[in-house]
Amino acid sequence: MLVDSYGRGIEYLRISITDRCNFNCIYCQSKKPWKWLSSEEILSFEEIEEIARVSSELGVKRIRLTGGEPLLRKNVEVLIKKLSQIAGIEDLSLTTNGYFLEEKALILKAAGLKRINISLDTLKREKFKKLTGKDELNKILRGIEKALEVGFNPIKINVVVIKGFNDEEIIDLAKLSLDKPLEVRFIEFMPIGKNPLWNESKVFYIAEVKRILESFKKLEPVISVGGGPAKSYRWEGALGKIGLISPLSEHICKNCNRMRITADGRLRPCLFSDFEIDLKSALRERKTSLKKIFELALKKKPEKGLKNFTLKPMRAIGG
Ligand code: SAM
Ligand code: SF4
């Protein structure tokens, strides 16, 4: 078991398998345009598999593939199959913008993917286009239906709430949880990658999200499994759930159970700190063992992240 200097057990690894994306979400942009990594700069499937194997030997039980858009990686199902066969990995999940799900949901399920999170911040076509740069809301909605149809359950829907942009849709988005096994999770807009849009006045705090949700129907707390940052609730009588994630307004760091691997192959102990260790070079040069790198990262994991602008955008860190 990996335990950091503050006694937190680390059993969850989020791996950004590409920084590339077919969307350009306004909250995911960085101050300077992000220059795509070359294929040599990102980790190969074999390298990701080796990292997963070593980390599982060290006590990692859950892996999430993210990006960029992870479904842009060619033959991602081959990687999923390999990772799903690693003995210690009990939970293998993926975060996606949903664009490729209509075609790929079944293949992903068959390859051994256990769970899926889909980002969807608005149900309005024009707003969706403004937010992502693509007029593809209906395709995403069809992707969600497909994922339900092939049996992903639960499916989490990630909503970043931006004041004055989509806050008036909180109830409509949460209504997706009424008659489907969807967990709609509201997330505070974070100052990642020197995002040009971010300033404090754009943050819609989770306490206010909760108040709005309760004005529609009573929220019942639900015990959440997996120790993540979301507090889970259910509207009375709903099939699905509602999750509230408050990285800015609440101290979520004390229960942090994760580390990240960035798209350029660096082990990042904390989302909110730019400290990273070059795992990729260690892997390629074979001078330092991966185990040593993990141990060093664990020692360096800060007690609390600085709620400050980080240098890399979310797509490179792996949100
Ligand atoms: N492309 C995939 C997607 O959009 O789901 C996976 C990568 S994306 C970087 C992962 C998650 O990060 C998404 O749910 C997205 O909403 C979230 N995210 C990106 N920028 C964010 C920000 N500034 N604050 C909060 N969440 C953010
Ligand atoms: Fe792409 Fe996801 Fe970032 Fe949107 S949030 S630009 S879909 S990586």
Side-chain angles (χ1 to χ4, degrees):
M1 168 84 150
L2 292 165
V3 180
D4 76 1
S5 323
Y6 303 94
R8 295 170 296 195
I10 307 298
E11 43 91 37
Y12 181 29
L13 195 60
R14 297 171 71 102
I15 310 178
S16 174
I17 63 171
T18 177
D19 58 326
R20 292 186 188 235
C21 192
N22 51 331
F23 286 2
N24 188 20
C25 300
I26 50 177
Y27 48 62
C28 198
Q29 293 165 5
S30 41
K31 194 173 176 191
K32 284 194 213 144
W34 178 252
K35 193 173 159 285
W36 301 128
L37 298 167
S38 67
S39 55
E40 293 77 43
E41 284 172 294
I42 60 170
L43 296 167
S44 68
F45 284 178
E46 290 71 25
E47 288 168 338
I48 295 171
E49 198 189 335
E50 187 170 347
I51 292 169
R53 210 174 284 287
V54 172
S55 63
S56 90
E57 284 162 15
L58 294 171
V60 167
K61 294 192 174 66
R62 301 196 289 135
I63 288 182
R64 173 172 299 275
L65 302 182
T66 178
E69 176 44 47
L71 299 185
L72 274 180
R73 258 316 269 267
K74 212 169 153 212
N75 301 326
V76 68
E77 59 277 9
V78 174
L79 173 68
I80 289 171
K81 186 150 198 193
K82 293 264 190 206
L83 299 184
S84 72
Q85 289 164 347
I86 298 176
I89 302 301
E90 295 165 7
D91 185 28
L92 180 61
S93 58
L94 177 132
T95 301
T96 171
N97 61 28
Y99 183 85
F100 298 102
L101 277 182
E102 209 180 351
E103 300 84 33
K104 285 218 125 175
L106 187 59
I107 299 168
L108 297 172
K109 184 93 174 96
L113 187 69
K114 292 238 168 72
R115 293 187 306 113
I116 207 154
N117 289 11
I118 305 165
S119 301
L120 177 68
D121 309 280
T122 174
L123 295 167
K124 296 185 176 164
R125 184 175 162 187
E126 272 312 308
K127 252 187 207 177
F128 186 91
K129 199 169 147 193
K130 223 168 153 182
L131 181 102
T132 63
K134 291 279 168 72
D135 188 10
E136 295 290 0
L137 174 63
N138 285 334
K139 185 164 170 61
I140 307 308
L141 295 174
R142 291 197 301 272
I144 295 174
E145 284 303 325
K146 188 71 188 179
L148 285 165
E149 196 184 302
V150 304
F152 283 109
N153 180 4
I155 295 171
K156 295 182 181 172
I157 305 291
N158 288 346
V159 181
V160 178
V161 189
I162 301 176
K163 197 182 264 180
F165 185 79
N166 59 351
D167 50 310
E168 93 287 0
E169 288 190 72
I170 289 169
I171 291 186
D172 286 343
L173 284 156
K175 278 183 181 169
L176 295 173
S177 74
L178 284 175
D179 53 8
K180 294 199 170 107
L182 298 174
E183 176 169 342
V184 182
R185 309 189 322 158
F186 296 95
I187 307 167
E188 285 169 347
F189 179 20
M190 295 185 270
I192 304 286
K194 296 196 188 296
N195 180 280
L197 177 73
W198 193 93
N199 65 58
E200 203 161 354
S201 72
K202 299 272 180 21
V203 179
F204 200 87
Y205 287 106
I206 282 300
E208 183 60 7
V209 174
K210 191 164 179 236
R211 197 193 57 70
I212 291 172
L213 292 168
E214 279 175 325
S215 73
F216 178 74
K217 239 174 192 265
K218 190 168 172 248
L219 282 177
E220 299 166 341
V222 181
I223 294 173
S224 38
V225 279
K231 286 191 184 144
S232 293
Y233 299 87
R234 194 188 297 280
W235 263 336
E236 270 177 338
L239 194 62
K241 293 193 260 179
I242 292 173
L244 301 180
I245 307 181
S246 43
L248 298 185
S249 59
E250 272 180 49
H251 184 41
I252 58 171
C253 306
K254 66 177 185 299
N255 297 322
C256 187
N257 60 354
R258 61 201 60 197
M259 291 206 273
R260 291 175 161 79
I261 294 175
T262 61
D264 56 351
R266 300 168 74 85
L267 185 56
R268 183 173 177 112
C270 172
L271 172 64
F272 283 110
S273 157
D274 284 312
F275 175 79
E276 295 172 349
I277 309 174
D278 189 355
L279 195 65
K280 182 179 64 190
S281 298
L283 198 58
R284 292 184 184 171
E285 290 160 14
R286 304 269 164 200
K287 285 190 190 136
T288 318
S289 73
L290 294 189
K291 186 166 179 264
K292 276 223 167 76
I293 303 264
F294 269 91
E295 284 165 357
L296 179 61
L298 213 56
K299 268 200 200 123
K300 294 275 190 180
K301 188 169 166 68
E303 184 180 15
K304 286 182 203 168
L306 294 172
K307 306 284 153 56
N308 214 332
F309 283 100
T310 59
L311 294 174
K312 280 183 180 158
M314 202 67 135
R315 66 183 63 185
I317 299 171

